[in-house]
Amino acid sequence: MPDATKPRNIHGTAILIGERGVLITGPSGAGKTTLALALLDHYRIRGLLSRLVGDDQLFAAAHGGRLVCRAPASIAGLAEVHGIGPRPLAFEPAAVIDLVVRLVEPAEVPRLQDEAAETIDGCRLPRIDVARQNVAAALPVLAARLSIQPFS
């Protein structure tokens, strides 16, 4: 897998939960930022490192066979809160991505998901689909998939 020389621009939100990088993708208005903020808060209050990497636009590139995402400098540390606009958050400049979360229409989410993967910039990553705009349903699914308490 050759490493890319120029980063790919991705429409998504990336966060770091503990040591795990999560890339949330989906169409505009699907709830990427809302889910990211909920995950950050959920794990922050449980004492786990949780930081924004980038919101809405990311630069992604393969490094050593792993996908690394970072925010463009102009929006680093900002999360766009629906109806309010960009707000500053604690952030990490980059993260290795361990899981892709794809926000889809509720009817497209199978009750039990087979192992799925997505290839981004030559890196094959595990992927899980969750219903768009449904944070309550997504939190336990992602905790289980990431093997974070109570599923660790």
Side-chain angles (χ1 to χ4, degrees):
M1 236 180 291
D3 284 358
T5 55
K6 182 178 179 187
R8 177 179 169 190
N9 193 327
I10 294 178
H11 177 72
T13 298
I15 58 174
L16 186 63
I17 303 293
E19 298 174 351
R20 296 169 183 94
V22 178
L23 171 61
I24 304 169
T25 65
S28 293
K32 295 179 292 295
T33 304
T34 301
L35 177 58
L37 293 174
L39 285 164
L40 294 173
D41 189 54
H42 182 80
Y43 288 107
R44 179 191 52 79
I45 63 175
R46 286 163 176 77
L48 198 59
L49 172 74
S50 55
R51 294 276 173 86
L52 175 72
V53 175
D55 183 41
D56 193 47
Q57 183 184 38
L58 300 162
F59 292 143
H63 292 281
R66 306 284 309 271
L67 186 70
V68 176
C69 284
R70 66 182 73 248
S74 60
I75 60 170
L78 297 175
E80 187 175 345
V81 179
H82 183 72
I84 297 175
R87 291 293 183 254
L89 281 179
F91 74 101
E92 291 295 317
V96 173
I97 301 301
D98 298 298
L99 178 66
V100 175
V101 176
R102 188 172 65 168
L103 300 180
V104 299
E105 293 298 330
E108 296 177 30
V109 180
R111 184 171 180 270
L112 298 173
Q113 294 189 47
D114 293 328
E115 294 291 319
E118 188 161 328
T119 301
I120 301 173
D121 205 37
C123 300
R124 188 169 166 83
L125 298 160
R127 187 194 79 223
I128 191 163
D129 294 345
V130 298
R132 59 184 283 155
Q133 298 177 335
N134 191 343
V135 171
L139 281 173
V141 171
L142 296 176
R145 186 61 183 258
L146 292 167
S147 298
I148 297 175
Q149 288 187 358
F151 299 100
S152 56

